[in-house]
Amino acid sequence: MLDVRLKGIGARLRDRAHLAWGDALVCALAVAIAWMLARGLAGHSQPMFAVVASVVCLAPGLPNHGRQALAMLSGVLTGIAIGEASLLIPLGDDPALSVLRLAAVTFLAILVASLWGQGAVAAIQSGVSALMVLTMGAVTAGPERILDVLIGTAVGLSFSQILLTPDPMKTLEGSARKFLAELGQGMLIAERAVRERDPNRARIAARRLGAARGRLVALDGGISLARDNARWSLRGLSAGPEVLAVADRYDRHAARIYAQALILGDELYHALRDEARIGPPEGLADLLHRVAAGLGRPGAGAQPAAEAARLLAAVPADAPHWRAVVVQALDLSAGGQVLLALPEQGGTGQGGVPPAAMR
């Protein structure tokens, strides 16, 4: 048991490292370039604001680096403006009034930046910038910080929006295939549960199908990223209409496919537990196998209309759970083909599944 857990932890760490190493490398390059530019162009001996800005723009795991850069820049400008405006109010040397000003400026800077609707980074940078103006002085923390942040932001935007913008279409298709492949693994377990008539294995299949939620969340993130890149990056603009059309299709169908998989897993468990005397309809295990094969591979799991109708007709009237399993399997097969835009075949539903099974 311990070995299994250690292997699982190791696999998760490898997956996280695989996802983050590219962004980490880009951050390292951007830091070096921002440092050299700030020293060479602005003459700042320790341009910490420039390198920090480049890291904030390009940090791993962000849904959109360009939006992050612009949000940070708006937050910095807001905070510096509010901080410098507060210095126009003379308070003397009273420590209590100085603390009060710190609190009031922090509150106002975060509040105003939040009005821009650009996420947490704008509010955080606004509050920090305002405090730096008060504690370090307007001359040091104001113009110098603005210039450094502009340099760091420019470097970050150059990497994220021009030099290293990911292909939005590949991002979408990769996320969709991983999502469907995860469901396919759950369907293979469901197939085995049917062949062995094992409700416990059906419960495992249901859990595995439910675990695809992480892939669905990743697909949602990929959809948002692709849409932003299609509007704001040079690479995305060249394929904008196609990317947006694919993103809209994935957005419409992915959550429904996941819901169908969850229903199938739950119904299969109840069928094997409550309708064991009736048993699965002939051909169901083969259907589940074809559905698993078809998820992520257009056409591989296409179900002929006549065979789909035969499967539905073979389910006894007093076996509602088995009927639900068949219907959800057919709908899941159709949904996988729709998600990957398989052309219609023979006037039936997508993948050859009759439209009645898809309702």
Side-chain angles (χ1 to χ4, degrees), residues 8 39 47 63 73 126 152 187 192 217 221 228 234 260 280 296-297 307 309 314 324 334 341 344:
R39 294 192 67 172
L73 184 59
S126 180
M187 293 301 296
R192 186 174 174 185
V217 171
D228 286 336
L234 293 180
Q260 289 168 345
R297 288 196 296 150
E307 187 174 352
E344 292 190 1

Side-chain angles (χ1 to χ4, degrees), residues 41-58:
L41 297 179
H44 298 163
S45 58
Q46 299 292 325
M48 289 303 300
F49 298 145
V51 296
V52 168
S54 64
V55 172
V56 172
C57 291
L58 297 171

Side-chain angles (χ1 to χ4, degrees), residues 110 123-133 145:
I110 293 177
I124 293 171
Q125 290 293 329
S126 180
V128 170
S129 297
L131 289 173
M132 293 183 71
V133 168
R145 179 168 169 78

Side-chain angles (χ1 to χ4, degrees), residues 38 42-51 53 76 80 84 132-133 136-152:
H44 298 163
S45 58
Q46 299 292 325
M48 289 303 300
F49 298 145
V51 296
V76 168
I80 289 176
E84 293 201 1
M132 293 183 71
V133 168
M136 298 176 63
V139 175
T140 300
E144 180 174 324
R145 179 168 169 78
I146 289 177
L147 185 55
D148 274 1
V149 168
L150 287 173
I151 292 173

